[in-house]
Amino acid sequence: MKSNINKNKKEKKKRLRKPSFFIYYILGPLVILWIKTMVKIKMRNKLKIEGPSLIISPHRSYYDFLIVPMLIYPVRSHIVATTYWYRNNFLKFLLNITGTIPKNQYRNDVRSIIRIADYLKLGRNVMMFPEGQMSTYGKPLILPSGLDKLIKKYKPNVYFINPQGTYLFSPKWNPTPGKGVVDASINLLIDKNDIDNLNLDTINKILNKAFDSNDDLSIMREHPEYKYMRKNKARGLEKVLMKCPDCGEILPFETNKLNLTCKSCGLSLTFEKDSYRFKENNPKYKDLKDLFDIDRTSFENEIDNGLILEDEATFSYFESLKEEPLFSGKVIMDREKISFLCPEDESKNICIYNNKVINYTITLGRDFEVPTPDKTYRVYPKDGYRSIFYWNYIAILKNKER
């Protein structure tokens, strides 16, 4: 009995070890030098991090896991990462040695909450991107519930890091890093000494206000002097833009370097070399923000008018980190639910009501995932580019609920 207790203590001590000294202080400076060759950091406000702390930040770029820790360097923190990255064995190894905390996306994950609580009790710093995934459009996503309760129960200092510009440095649809400016600030959002006097509703309002302040395309408009360089700036937008704003054709764009062209009506837009503004060859659209706003507003109007999505698709699900096949059939989505239909056997049909889902995740141009309380389903539409419609559908519904 005593040996089992000692064994459990050793396992817990190993599990709760500090983030790797070697990664942070030997390799860390090399990573910082590499980032600084591409990104100019403008620090608006920087505070000393005092633990135990919960450090939260928007998720806009593939490189946030490097840039955001760099902004508080040399302070170490345990980063909360989605189990999506643990599906790769090499990444799983790297994440484990850096003291990363795995968490299931948009599902209740008791193990991750226990791990976070253990670190906070030890006076450590925990960093997370609570939106749960990268923003496709550089705007805030819905915050999953539960963060308020975590703060209320364990009473950490809550710091908000706002690294505006990381989306323009490396957006979800174009992961290759470019060069640009990150306009960053670190603020003490909630002092641990004040938490007893705050109710959950007030904490949520504080959190949402902080995240709503982050909008990278608006920052680009406010600071035309900031430069964002990339040779293939338009590449990947064909997976994101749902309609042509001129002719209304579905998924019509092809891209080449700085240029977007509608294959249906010939609309041609070319980015400036050093920004996401368009050259003055089409005065109707000022910049990428105009295209995104028009695209999303049009789609939201379709949803309000009873839009039903339907596609041929193949379905699978995740049992822990392993993907298991289900069947091929049809996916149908409306304002109430999403359904996976098996033509050979109706008993295999799956219906998931939208109010039971927090959000979807997406691999642009390929598939989307539907996390439920029981398991996560992956949907491969026959035309993978149509995944963006389903991802936007649930995002717009959840924003309306908010």
Side-chain angles (χ1 to χ4, degrees):
M1 182 71 175
K2 187 175 180 180
S3 63
N4 287 336
I5 293 173
N6 290 333
K7 183 180 179 181
N8 290 336
K9 285 182 178 179
K10 287 180 181 179
E11 288 178 352
K12 184 173 182 179
K13 185 177 180 181
K14 182 179 180 181
R15 179 168 59 85
L16 298 178
R17 63 187 177 187
K18 291 183 178 180
S20 169
F21 182 94
F22 177 79
I23 295 290
Y24 265 80
Y25 300 126
I26 306 300
L27 296 183
L30 299 177
V31 173
I32 290 173
L33 285 174
W34 177 68
I35 291 292
K36 285 185 175 180
T37 64
M38 297 179 289
V39 177
K40 183 177 181 180
I41 305 290
K42 289 182 175 290
M43 285 301 302
R44 299 293 179 183
N45 186 50
K46 185 169 184 176
L47 297 178
K48 181 181 178 182
I49 304 295
E50 296 183 1
S53 70
L54 185 64
I55 303 164
I56 56 177
S57 180
H59 196 6
R60 302 288 175 266
S61 160
Y62 284 96
Y63 298 88
D64 289 339
F65 76 102
L66 297 176
I67 293 175
V68 176
M70 184 183 85
L71 296 176
I72 65 169
Y73 191 84
V75 173
R76 283 185 282 179
S77 64
H78 298 274
I79 300 176
V80 179
T82 166
T83 51
Y84 175 91
W85 301 113
Y86 284 77
R87 296 171 188 172
N88 180 291
N89 286 330
F90 178 69
L91 285 177
K92 180 180 179 179
F93 168 75
L94 289 179
L95 293 170
N96 284 336
I97 66 172
T98 55
T100 303
I101 305 167
K103 186 185 184 306
N104 287 319
Q105 282 175 296
Y106 303 123
R107 291 172 59 190
N108 291 329
D109 192 334
V110 175
R111 289 177 300 177
S112 70
I113 294 171
I114 291 173
R115 181 81 67 90
I116 292 169
D118 285 340
Y119 285 137
L120 293 176
K121 290 174 185 176
L122 290 171
R124 307 268 186 87
N125 305 306
V126 174
M127 179 180 289
M128 66 168 62
F129 303 95
E131 292 164 304
Q133 62 178 311
M134 288 171 57
S135 169
T136 300
Y137 298 97
K139 296 173 70 68
L141 302 177
I142 296 296
L143 295 179
S145 62
L147 187 57
D148 52 349
K149 296 181 179 68
L150 182 73
I151 293 168
K152 186 71 174 177
K153 184 172 182 178
Y154 297 107
K155 299 177 175 53
N157 284 320
V158 181
Y159 294 91
F160 181 67
I161 299 182
N162 196 1
Q164 307 218 76
T166 57
Y167 177 81
L168 302 168
F169 162 70
S170 174
K172 184 178 179 73
W173 38 269
N174 192 337
T176 305
K179 292 191 175 183
V181 176
V182 173
D183 195 321
S185 62
I186 303 173
N187 293 289
L188 179 60
L189 203 59
I190 302 175
D191 190 308
K192 62 183 180 183
N193 297 312
D194 297 333
I195 292 175
D196 282 336
N197 299 320
L198 303 175
N199 59 35
L200 295 178
D201 184 57
T202 301
I203 292 173
N204 272 316
K205 286 179 179 177
I206 293 171
L207 297 174
N208 282 304
K209 183 179 179 181
F211 279 87
D212 286 345
S213 70
N214 180 278
D215 185 338
D216 279 13
L217 290 173
S218 293
I219 283 293
M220 179 189 70
R221 286 186 173 181
E222 293 170 15
H223 294 278
E225 73 277 12
Y226 291 174
K227 308 300 181 185
Y228 297 95
M229 310 290 290
R230 180 185 280 108
K231 291 181 181 179
N232 297 304
K233 192 169 289 181
R235 186 175 63 192
L237 280 170
E238 71 278 4
K239 304 174 187 177
V240 177
L241 290 165
M242 296 177 284
K243 278 187 177 182
C244 173
D246 273 11
C247 69
E249 183 68 21
I250 300 295
L251 295 169
F253 285 105
E254 59 183 6
T255 59
N256 181 34
K257 295 184 179 179
L258 303 179
N259 183 257
L260 280 164
T261 303
C262 174
K263 293 176 287 186
S264 178
C265 70
L267 169 68
S268 180
L269 299 167
T270 303
F271 287 117
E272 294 178 352
K273 184 179 180 181
D274 59 1
S275 79
Y276 284 90
R277 292 181 289 272
F278 295 120
K279 292 182 178 180
E280 295 182 5
N281 58 340
N282 192 315
K284 290 169 62 177
Y285 312 111
K286 179 180 179 181
D287 54 26
L288 183 58
K289 179 174 170 56
D290 275 349
L291 287 193
F292 281 169
D293 288 348
I294 292 167
D295 208 35
R296 295 260 289 178
T297 299
S298 173
F299 190 63
E300 184 171 350
N301 290 337
E302 290 186 53
I303 292 173
D304 289 342
N305 289 326
L307 174 67
I308 297 175
L309 298 176
E310 181 174 333
D311 283 278
E312 294 181 24
T314 299
F315 307 95
S316 62
Y317 70 96
F318 283 91
E319 193 70 52
S320 184
L321 300 178
K322 184 180 179 183
E323 186 174 9
E324 302 286 354
L326 278 172
F327 54 81
S328 293
K330 282 189 176 181
V331 55
I332 300 177
M333 185 175 185
D334 58 31
R335 290 178 61 94
E336 300 298 323
K337 62 186 180 301
I338 187 168
S339 302
F340 311 151
L341 305 181
C342 179
E344 287 82 21
D345 186 352
E346 291 185 1
S347 67
K348 294 183 179 180
N349 291 353
I350 297 169
C351 176
I352 303 167
Y353 285 89
N354 298 330
N355 62 2
K356 302 295 184 182
V357 173
I358 298 171
N359 210 342
Y360 296 170
T361 62
I362 187 171
T363 302
L364 292 170
R366 193 185 76 176
D367 64 70
F368 65 97
E369 295 185 15
V370 182
T372 73
D374 298 321
K375 60 183 67 173
T376 295
Y377 295 94
R378 177 176 273 180
V379 183
Y380 297 91
K382 184 176 181 180
D383 180 355
Y385 280 33
R386 285 186 57 82
S387 296
I388 192 65
F389 291 100
Y390 294 86
W391 186 86
N392 271 316
Y393 204 128
I394 196 69
I396 288 170
L397 292 180
K398 293 301 174 179
N399 195 53
K400 287 178 179 292
E401 287 179 11
R402 176 187 170 191

